[in-house]
Amino acid sequence: MTQVIQVDPDQPDAQAIAQAAAIIHKGGLVAFPTETVYGLGADAMSEQAVRRIFAAKGRPADNPLIVHISNRAMLDLVAADVSDQAEALIDRYWPGPLTLVLKRKPEVAASVSAGLPTVAVRMPNNPIALALIRAAATPIAAPSANRSGRPSPTSAAHVLADLAGRIEMILDGGATNIGIESTVLDMTGRVPVILRPGWITEEQIAAVVGAVERAASLQELQRSPGTRYRHYSPRARVVLVEQATLDLLERMCNEYLKSETVGFIGHTPPAIDDEKFRALILRNEPADYAARLYAALREMDEGGASVIVIEGIADAGEGAAVMDRLRRAASETIRD
Ligand code: TXA
Ligand code: MG
């Protein structure tokens, strides 16, 4: 049985948090909200507990987890050799959606790092998450709380849909604010490398550390094993139109409608009236796409869409993180 407890993010109930912390202590699994997406937490220092995360998610063992901490002192339990550059980023962006890959301490459960000599760490900006980590008094390893290969959960209902009966508890703090996962930044080389774009942008990182690179080569991506897997995918096939016109979108949707049930997610509403067509219209802004994308993909799946047409947005600033997730979800991309 998975227990779901509603918690007010503005004033997390101490008793609910204590109950959740007790589960973490016993080596159990608790899903909790962060500012990005829901995480599936276990004691990061317990190998047995961390292994349960992989089993519950069906996650490949070679894909490492992010460790969540509630204060700067906790970082020293899991990471070594924190550079001045890393400290500057921590001062500026923690708590927040920035994950730093650092040299790992041997006390961290081995499977957290999936055999790598590094550990990914962040301090989430959500009062429920911070209260849970504080009460558990241990760093908490937490990947996104979805079954492997499914879109990340942005609500407790999404977590329950994927993990009911597989985890002990869900702390329901309502919908997450940002809606897509944190930026993952490798701090172990000479120049910081963005392994996964996120809400903290390349420009924001460069403003603190100067030069920053984007992982482009396959070799670099080997360092963030998660990015090798197909991610963020609904069951329906996703066709991404990077720069759409109304005319192109309408022609595409009408063509698919000859033989399929079609979902549309975008900011240019096609004028189509058909029982087999559903449209979800977003604002042409990264924040609206990020906040609603994963829920939209799940809804379209449940509505029985066999193909989902998604209209892209400008690939700049926060839009770069949104476009990264759209490209990963897509099985086909149309560029003009
Ligand atoms: O916003 C987020 O980051 C959410 C919330 C729950 O914090 N978490 C999340 O975790 O998205 P997950 O497991 O779904 O994604 C973790 C990413 C993967 O791409 C993984 O490969 C990468 O971080 N990662 C973890 N440890 C790493 C390491 N030591 N070196 C390189 N990449 C690492
Ligand atoms: Mg994930």
Side-chain angles (χ1 to χ4, degrees):
M1 259 294 280
T2 298
Q3 191 184 357
V4 182
I5 303 187
Q6 296 209 358
V7 184
D8 179 357
D10 295 325
Q11 222 167 358
D13 175 58
Q15 210 182 321
I17 297 295
Q19 238 180 302
I23 292 171
I24 297 288
H25 255 250
K26 278 186 272 177
L29 303 181
V30 176
F32 59 92
T34 78
E35 78 278 38
T36 58
V37 301
Y38 275 73
L40 176 58
D43 182 353
M45 315 309 267
S46 160
E47 179 61 24
Q48 273 195 332
V50 171
R51 283 196 188 175
R52 282 202 52 207
I53 293 179
F54 286 87
K57 283 190 56 126
R59 185 181 178 101
D62 64 351
N63 189 3
L65 310 179
I66 296 172
V67 174
H68 295 67
I69 59 173
S70 58
N71 59 54
R72 170 63 188 81
M74 233 183 218
L75 181 62
D76 297 326
L77 300 176
V78 296
D81 302 347
V82 180
S83 66
D84 291 345
Q85 276 196 334
E87 294 287 4
L89 288 166
I90 289 168
D91 281 345
R92 180 72 184 81
Y93 296 118
W94 281 7
L98 176 65
T99 295
L100 300 179
V101 174
L102 301 162
K103 191 173 156 197
R104 83 185 270 275
K105 285 252 175 91
E107 290 81 6
V108 182
S111 52
V112 165
S113 298
L116 297 169
T118 55
V119 63
V121 190
R122 83 179 190 98
M123 191 188 296
N125 189 15
N126 177 292
I128 297 172
L130 292 171
L132 173 64
I133 302 161
R134 222 176 287 127
T138 184
I140 293 183
S144 51
N146 49 284
R147 287 300 293 267
S148 202
R150 299 269 297 146
S152 291
T154 54
S155 73
H158 297 160
V159 180
L160 200 61
D162 278 15
L163 297 172
R166 298 175 158 265
I167 64 179
E168 279 81 5
M169 182 180 282
I170 302 172
L171 294 174
D172 179 357
T176 58
N177 325 323
I178 294 174
I180 59 173
E181 308 82 352
S182 63
T183 307
V184 178
L185 185 68
D186 185 352
M187 296 303 295
T188 62
R190 199 178 43 80
V191 176
V193 180
I194 296 174
L195 301 178
R196 179 176 74 182
W199 208 247
I200 301 292
T201 63
E202 185 177 349
E203 294 77 18
Q204 286 177 295
I205 295 166
V208 175
V209 300
V212 52
E213 284 172 8
R214 252 186 278 186
S217 73
L218 209 76
Q219 199 191 1
E220 276 173 313
L221 284 180
Q222 302 290 337
R223 284 195 264 156
S224 195
T227 54
R228 290 201 306 269
Y229 296 101
R230 188 148 177 264
H231 251 84
Y232 318 110
S233 306
R235 295 181 186 97
R237 96 183 177 280
V238 172
V239 180
L240 171 63
V241 189
E242 295 219 348
Q243 278 158 355
T245 60
L246 177 61
D247 179 57
L248 175 65
L249 291 173
E250 286 180 346
R251 272 188 292 127
M252 281 179 61
C253 290
N254 279 318
E255 187 58 35
Y256 290 130
L257 277 167
K258 288 178 182 166
S259 59
E260 298 196 72
T261 301
V262 181
F264 171 78
I265 300 170
H267 54 85
T268 305
I272 296 175
D273 184 14
D274 189 308
E275 278 187 340
K276 298 202 313 299
F277 181 74
R278 250 196 80 200
L280 201 111
I281 305 308
L282 306 175
R283 288 194 304 279
N284 186 8
E285 292 163 13
D288 203 40
Y289 266 66
R292 295 170 66 192
L293 175 69
Y294 290 149
L297 291 175
R298 284 174 182 262
E299 267 169 48
M300 295 268 166
D301 258 351
E302 278 157 24
S306 55
V307 58
I308 303 172
V309 176
I310 305 186
E311 179 183 11
I313 56 172
D315 189 357
E318 289 90 353
V322 169
M323 289 304 290
D324 171 77
R325 305 310 188 272
L326 294 182
R327 290 182 185 121
R328 284 173 198 285
S331 48
E332 198 183 317
T333 299
I334 293 165
R335 289 216 165 67
D336 44 26

